[in-house]
Amino acid sequence: MQSLRNREARSGRMPQGPVLLGLILALLLPISTARAQIVIDEIMSAPARDWNGDGEIDFKNDEWVEILNAGTAPVDLTGLYLKDATGDAYHYGFSGTLMPGEVMLVLGSDSVAWQAANDAGSTGLSLNNGGDTLELWRDVEFPRVLEVVDMVPIPAHAAGSDRAMGRLPDSLEWALFDELNPYTGDLIPLGTLCSPSPGELNVCSVVPAEDSSFGHLKSLHFFVP
């Protein structure tokens, strides 16, 4: 008979009850090796072109998220899942191995296909154009591990049409890759006029800068794991 945990994994729902205590404890422990290596690297929340190459422009199928192995050793991606801050369902489950310095692209259509195969709905990556929080979870059954590997707030201005939010290559700090839809405001992350690069390492020689008081910068503080 299929275990309760397996049924929960197939449905895309995060386990409840005792696992919640494990989650709280995990968040209080030092950052794990997996968190230090695998990070969310680039996000396209509001596609306005055919990013997945199927000949159609679709707000769900053409969204995409990219992860990066920023460490020095290969990482087994089994047990890593993407979700947003709304609800408990996972939107995509990873597999395979990611080598140091490599990126892996997840298209909205990949998410829809994974959800169909795992009886987990059909919402796709479900990135909210008005602002969202994207989360990367590690959910391993034996021994039981449930923890947030990376968590990235996506402000509304970073979710403009065909405007990607990504990490700068050298610092891993967040900026807008907004060549297709320039952002000229002063909210963080700032615009760079660099190009989105799904499935490839981010390339951008521009370092966004803005004169501001220390207090103002503190008020605009943006989470970077």
Side-chain angles (χ1 to χ4, degrees):
M1 179 178 294
Q2 187 183 45
S3 70
L4 175 60
R5 284 176 177 169
N6 286 340
R7 290 200 301 272
E8 288 172 333
R10 280 171 44 81
S11 69
R13 293 190 297 272
M14 291 170 54
Q16 303 296 316
V19 175
L20 180 59
L21 176 60
L23 171 59
I24 294 172
L25 292 175
L27 292 176
L28 295 176
L29 292 174
I31 294 175
S32 69
T33 301
R35 177 170 181 173
Q37 289 186 316
I38 301 298
V39 297
I40 298 168
D41 190 50
E42 194 172 3
I43 304 162
M44 174 65 69
S45 300
R49 62 187 61 209
D50 180 21
W51 288 102
N52 74 347
D54 67 355
E56 299 181 359
I57 299 174
D58 185 277
F59 74 93
K60 178 163 56 175
N61 290 330
D62 289 315
E63 288 182 332
W64 50 266
V65 172
E66 182 183 271
I67 64 171
L68 165 71
N69 182 352
T72 57
V75 175
D76 181 1
L77 300 180
T78 303
L80 290 181
Y81 297 87
L82 283 173
K83 67 180 291 293
D84 67 358
T86 303
D88 292 335
Y90 293 130
H91 298 316
Y92 183 78
F94 290 90
S95 60
T97 299
L98 195 60
M99 301 302 290
E102 286 188 345
V103 298
M104 179 176 290
L105 177 67
V106 179
L107 294 157
S109 50
D110 297 329
S111 173
V112 171
W114 180 86
Q115 289 170 330
N118 290 274
D119 192 24
S122 60
T123 60
L125 292 170
S126 193
L127 300 174
N128 191 328
N129 297 355
D132 208 336
T133 298
L134 182 63
E135 301 173 352
L136 182 63
W137 284 76
R138 184 178 178 219
D139 187 346
V140 179
E141 188 168 353
F142 298 111
R144 188 61 182 172
V145 175
L146 182 61
E147 64 179 352
V148 178
V149 175
D150 198 4
M151 181 185 296
V152 182
I154 309 169
H157 77 282
S161 297
D162 276 345
R163 185 181 292 161
M165 188 177 85
R167 295 182 186 271
L168 294 171
D170 296 328
S171 65
L172 293 185
E173 294 181 356
W174 289 97
L176 298 182
F177 289 71
D178 57 342
E179 179 190 33
L180 302 174
N181 181 12
Y183 173 69
T184 58
D186 59 2
L187 297 177
I188 301 230
L190 298 172
T192 63
L193 295 181
C194 293
S195 301
S197 55
E200 300 178 358
L201 290 173
N202 297 346
V203 176
C204 184
S205 60
V206 177
V207 178
E210 177 191 11
D211 292 331
S212 182
S213 69
F214 179 69
H216 181 58
L217 288 175
K218 284 178 64 178
S219 71
L220 294 175
H221 176 69
F222 195 73
F223 175 85
V224 177

